[in-house]
């Protein structure tokens, strides 16, 4: 007669109990029962029994009791099946609280783990001290306000269906997957991460700190406006009021052109020169001009009318260039499709 394929067990032998030390006793137990026995790495594993299964009644907190053979503990697993890892081993007769959810002959407990329904009973059993030994798993603790429970949803958000609740203090094994402030549990459901307490280093990743919002300085903003008016900042430069690198470079250029100490900062002498300065008059028509960048040894020619365009070449002081007659802002076009700061051009 064909034998049925052995089924993976839902409970495990506790080797510390003396009742199975006798081989004869073990054989008598197996003859009196209808369970199959398999030896695996020195531990006796018993197959699924044929007792009456306890079904979930849909009520949160209903209590059942472990109903395994004497000397055996019931495996609490991460999911509804023997393919899921073991979280605890609960001794015979110990009470378990149900969440009201059942799947394929498995019952979910209020801590999110699962047990086989045919190894629990609704009738209290005699028991010794109830001991559960958690395995090293990733578990979070429900931390809700008094009188509130944590909603369980099918997806990471309140728009997903509600499938149950966990009470304060429940231990929830999670997968390590987080999304939009929600944590995925090992059974595929999701809970709000804000109501979970995680062990150090196991919670959702901390978002990188956001850079502080720049403070708008009206003094710098006024300097930028004036520098923009006389051509030291490009026409599209935003008046941000922040002392950025481009503003500093424009102040240095202005100081150099006007014979001031190049500090890059708006001191009293720079403010006076800035308000007395006028925009340079661009040359009209095609004519030759001499380059004079002041204290700077050369003038930079750009691919467009402003320093934001790529640098094309450099002209030393005294070089002769020919203008095309095109002017944009404080920039003058010279032959070769290049642009140079008008202040640096002098008539021959």
């Amino acid at each position: 007669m064909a034998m049925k394929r052995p089924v993976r067990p839902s409970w495990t032998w506790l080797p510390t109990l003396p009742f199975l030390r006798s081989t004869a006793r073990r054989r008598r137990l197996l003859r009196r029962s209808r369970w199959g026995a398999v030896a695996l790495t020195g531990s006796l594993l018993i197959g699924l029994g044929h007792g009456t299964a306890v079904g979930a009644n849909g009520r949160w907190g209903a209590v059942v009791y472990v109903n395994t053979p004497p000397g055996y503990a019931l495996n609490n697993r991460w999911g509804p099946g023997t393919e899921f890892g073991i979280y605890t081993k609960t001794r015979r007769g110990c009470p378990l609280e149900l969440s009201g959810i059942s799947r394929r002959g498995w019952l979910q407990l209020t801590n999110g783990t699962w047990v086989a329904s045919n190894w629990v009973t609704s009738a209290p059993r005699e028991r010794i001290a109830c001991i559960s030994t958690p395995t090293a798993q990733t578990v979070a603790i429900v931390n809700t306000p008094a009188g509130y429970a944590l909603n369980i949803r099918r997806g990471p958000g309140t728009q997903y269906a509600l499938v149950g609740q966990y009470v304060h203090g429940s231990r929830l094994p999670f997968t390590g997957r987080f999304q939009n402030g929600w944590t995925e549990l090992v059974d595929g459901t999701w809970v709000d991460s804000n109501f979970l307490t995680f062990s150090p280093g196991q919670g959702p990743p901390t978002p990188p700190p956001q850079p502080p919002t720049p403070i708008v300085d009206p003094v710098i903003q006024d300097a930028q406006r004036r520098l923009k008016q006389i051509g030291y900042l490009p026409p599209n430069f935003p008046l941000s009021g922040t002392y950025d690198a481009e503003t500093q470079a424009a102040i240095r250029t202005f100081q150099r052109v006007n014979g001031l100490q190049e500090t890059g900062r708006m001191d009293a002498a720079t403010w006076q020169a800035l308000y007395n300065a006028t925009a340079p008059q661009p040359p009209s028509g095609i004519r030759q001009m001499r380059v004079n960048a002041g204290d700077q040894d050369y003038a930079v020619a750009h691919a467009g009318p402003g320093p934001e365009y790529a640098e094309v070449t450099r002209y030393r002081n005294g070089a002769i260039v020919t203008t095309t007659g095109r002017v944009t802002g404080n920039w003058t076009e010279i032959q070769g499709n290049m642009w140079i700061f008008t202040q640096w051009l002098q008539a021959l």
Side-chain angles (χ1 to χ4, degrees), residues 325-343:
R326 292 182 61 194
V327 176
T328 299
N330 294 311
W331 292 79
T332 298
E333 187 183 43
I334 60 177
Q335 288 182 351
N337 295 322
M338 296 179 291
W339 295 76
I340 197 167
F341 186 44
T342 304
Q343 183 73 38

Side-chain angles (χ1 to χ4, degrees), residues 296 298-304 306-315 331 336-339 344:
Q296 188 170 306
Y298 55 85
V300 178
H302 293 269
E308 68 271 23
Y309 292 92
E311 178 181 326
V312 178
T313 189
R314 298 179 179 184
Y315 290 99
W331 292 79
N337 295 322
M338 296 179 291
W339 295 76
W344 293 338

Side-chain angles (χ1 to χ4, degrees), residues 37-331:
V38 179
L40 178 62
T41 62
S43 296
L44 185 65
L45 302 180
I46 304 299
L48 295 178
H50 302 280
T52 302
V54 174
N57 59 9
R59 183 169 62 87
W60 177 276
V63 176
V64 294
Y65 300 87
V66 177
N67 190 28
T68 52
Y72 289 84
L74 178 63
N75 292 332
N76 297 35
R77 296 184 178 271
W78 294 112
T82 54
E83 68 272 20
F84 293 92
I86 299 173
Y87 168 55
T88 62
K89 296 179 175 66
T90 307
R91 289 182 182 269
R92 169 185 168 89
C94 291
L96 301 171
E97 286 190 356
L98 302 180
S99 71
I101 300 174
S102 63
R103 292 182 186 173
R104 304 188 306 274
W106 291 76
L107 303 175
Q108 187 188 53
L109 307 183
T110 54
N111 66 356
T113 59
W114 297 75
V115 295
S117 62
N118 54 340
W119 293 123
V120 297
T121 178
S122 58
R125 303 287 306 221
E126 74 287 349
R127 65 178 187 269
I128 58 176
C130 294
I131 300 174
S132 294
T133 307
T135 57
Q137 297 288 345
T138 306
V139 177
I141 309 299
V142 174
N143 186 15
T144 51
Y148 288 85
L150 178 60
N151 289 335
I152 312 166
R153 296 190 179 272
R154 294 196 181 277
T158 54
Q159 69 273 26
Y160 292 92
L162 179 67
V163 297
Q165 291 181 321
Y166 287 115
V167 296
H168 177 86
S170 297
R171 297 170 56 85
L172 308 183
F174 62 95
T175 64
R177 182 184 175 197
F178 308 100
Q179 186 174 332
N180 302 327
W182 291 73
T183 298
E184 184 185 44
L185 306 183
V186 293
D187 62 357
T189 58
W190 294 76
V191 293
D192 191 337
S193 304
N194 294 316
F195 298 101
L196 297 178
T197 300
F198 298 91
S199 298
Q202 292 187 349
T206 303
Q210 296 297 320
T213 303
I215 300 176
V216 177
D217 187 340
V219 175
I220 296 298
Q221 199 171 40
D222 191 26
Q224 290 172 333
R225 183 182 297 105
R226 190 75 184 112
L227 290 166
K228 186 175 179 180
Q229 289 172 349
I230 61 177
Y232 288 87
L233 286 172
N236 61 347
F237 184 84
L239 302 179
S240 63
T242 58
Y243 186 65
D244 53 26
E246 193 168 359
T247 299
Q248 182 179 1
I251 294 173
R252 286 183 178 277
T253 301
F254 176 81
Q255 290 171 331
R256 181 172 60 252
V257 169
N258 289 272
L260 302 171
Q261 184 180 1
E262 285 187 53
T263 63
R265 297 192 174 277
M266 294 300 300
D267 51 33
T270 303
W271 275 114
Q272 183 177 0
L274 187 61
Y275 277 104
N276 292 334
T278 58
Q281 296 298 315
S284 59
I286 299 175
R287 56 186 298 191
Q288 288 188 325
M289 305 287 290
R290 178 180 286 110
V291 175
N292 184 358
D295 293 338
Q296 188 170 306
D297 293 334
Y298 55 85
V300 178
H302 293 269
E308 68 271 23
Y309 292 92
E311 178 181 326
V312 178
T313 189
R314 298 179 179 184
Y315 290 99
R316 289 193 171 275
N317 288 341
I320 305 300
V321 296
T322 302
T323 63
T324 65
R326 292 182 61 194
V327 176
T328 299
N330 294 311
W331 292 79

